[in-house]
């Protein structure tokens, strides 16, 4: 479904993706596991083709086509969707309207009310609410997940789908992901949490802009734990933890 070869991207003259290879098979939930700052969101934006994220080298293949030079609109039309770590806002639309737009043209996706229920938003209270500043970050994020469910894209890139959502457990969120997967969506689940990686079918480990290991989730999680402790790219929380152990 997705094949990335030798992806290299600099931002502000700094290499962020350093020759990244990644393969996501059709039908799977594939976790991309990596510590903070390793380039996970950057990869998501680059695959989606957002402005400012044009790779200097490497190719991206999606559903058999080379999409490296395609626009974000073309990628979306081919069936590629990104749910953001920081959700975008669509001010002014009601949630019902927003989900109806997302659901257009798809036969296999759940009904709008079911999409809302699956993300823990009672349809009766939410369908007619407007997307505006009165929604909390977590509610926005759940509406966005509902939109991905409604859309049933070929491939959904979910960037830290649990971030900002404190009312749904990891298992609840996994259930939403499994539901979209059953409806035919391949999922690239971006996370720094090993519990998410364990719940995926396959996983890849990202470190400093490169995939260092891919395979069975357990193996990848073990590699992540062992590797990240010795890695030069340890993030601040990890550094603090290491200091405490001394
Ligand atoms: P992650 O999502 O894995 O936490 P990001 O992809 O957000 O990581 O960031 C990876 C690295 O790239 C970080 O060191 C970050 O500071 C840097 N970075 C992100 N966006 C930009 C940008 N627009 N310009 C320069 N550096 C950036
Ligand atoms: Mg990120």
């Amino acid at each position: 479904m997705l094949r990335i070869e030798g992806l290299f991207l600099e931002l502000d003259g700094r290499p962020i993706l350093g020759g990244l290879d990644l393969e996501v098979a059709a039908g799977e939930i594939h976790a991309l596991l990596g510590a903070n700052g390793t380039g996970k969101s950057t990869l998501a934006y680059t695959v989606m083709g957002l402005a400012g994220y044009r790779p200097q080298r490497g190719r991206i293949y999606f559903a058999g086509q080379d999409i490296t030079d395609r626009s974000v609109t073309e990628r979306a039309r081919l069936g590629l969707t990104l749910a953001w770590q920081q959700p975008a806002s669509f001010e002014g639309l009601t949630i019902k309207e927003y989900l109806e737009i997302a659901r257009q043209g798809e036969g296999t996706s759940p009904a709008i009310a079911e999409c809302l229920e699956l993300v823990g938003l009672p349809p009766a209270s939410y369908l007619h609410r407007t997307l505006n500043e009165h929604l909390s970050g977590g509610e926005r994020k759940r509406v966005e997940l509902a939109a991905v469910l409604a859309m049933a894209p070929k491939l959904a890139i979910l960037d830290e789908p649990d971030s900002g959502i404190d009312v749904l457990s990891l298992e609840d969120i996994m259930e939403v992901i499994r539901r979209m997967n059953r409806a035919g969506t391949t999922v690239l689940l971006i996370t720094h949490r090993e519990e998410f990686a364990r719940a995926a079918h396959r996983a890849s480990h990202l470190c400093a802009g490169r995939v260092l290991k891919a395979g069975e989730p357990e193996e990848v999680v073990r590699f992540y734990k062992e590797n990240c402790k010795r890695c030069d790219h340890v993030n601040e929380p990890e550094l603090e933890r290491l200091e405490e152990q001394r």
Side-chain angles (χ1 to χ4, degrees), residues 16-174:
I16 308 294
L17 304 178
L20 181 149
D21 299 316
L22 176 71
E23 252 182 72
V24 179
E28 73 181 1
I29 300 175
H30 191 111
L32 181 72
L33 177 66
N36 287 331
T38 49
K40 301 185 297 298
S41 293
T42 302
L43 176 65
Y45 304 155
T46 307
V47 173
M48 198 64 223
L50 303 190
Y53 292 86
R54 219 199 121 74
Q56 282 82 20
R57 289 200 295 279
R59 308 309 298 176
I60 304 171
Y61 301 92
F62 171 61
Q65 296 194 47
D66 185 339
I67 59 162
T68 321
D69 301 317
R70 300 291 187 89
S71 72
V72 56
T73 320
E74 285 176 295
R75 293 178 204 211
R77 225 175 264 141
L78 289 171
L80 183 56
T81 291
L82 167 66
W84 308 71
Q85 185 172 6
Q86 305 287 337
S89 59
F90 293 86
E91 303 288 331
L93 292 180
T94 65
I95 289 175
K96 182 165 182 279
E97 288 166 335
Y98 176 63
L99 295 182
E100 274 167 356
I101 292 167
R103 199 166 185 279
Q104 258 172 30
E106 276 300 331
T108 54
S109 53
I112 285 165
E114 192 190 343
C115 295
L116 281 175
E117 259 162 26
L118 282 162
V119 299
L121 298 174
S125 332
Y126 281 91
L127 269 176
H128 300 288
R129 285 189 64 178
T130 305
L131 286 164
N132 60 22
E133 69 278 10
H134 300 302
L135 287 180
S136 71
E139 285 171 326
R140 262 175 206 279
K141 187 95 192 193
R142 285 189 281 158
V143 170
E144 199 178 35
L145 273 182
V148 178
L149 277 164
M151 199 183 296
K154 280 203 184 80
L155 174 66
I157 303 174
L158 308 179
D159 190 3
E160 311 264 10
D162 58 322
S163 79
I165 304 184
D166 45 10
V167 294
L168 293 180
S169 68
L170 188 136
E171 196 40 50
D172 290 338
I173 293 173
M174 244 357 266

Side-chain angles (χ1 to χ4, degrees), residues 10-15:
E10 275 186 5
L11 295 173
D12 280 353
R14 275 181 56 198

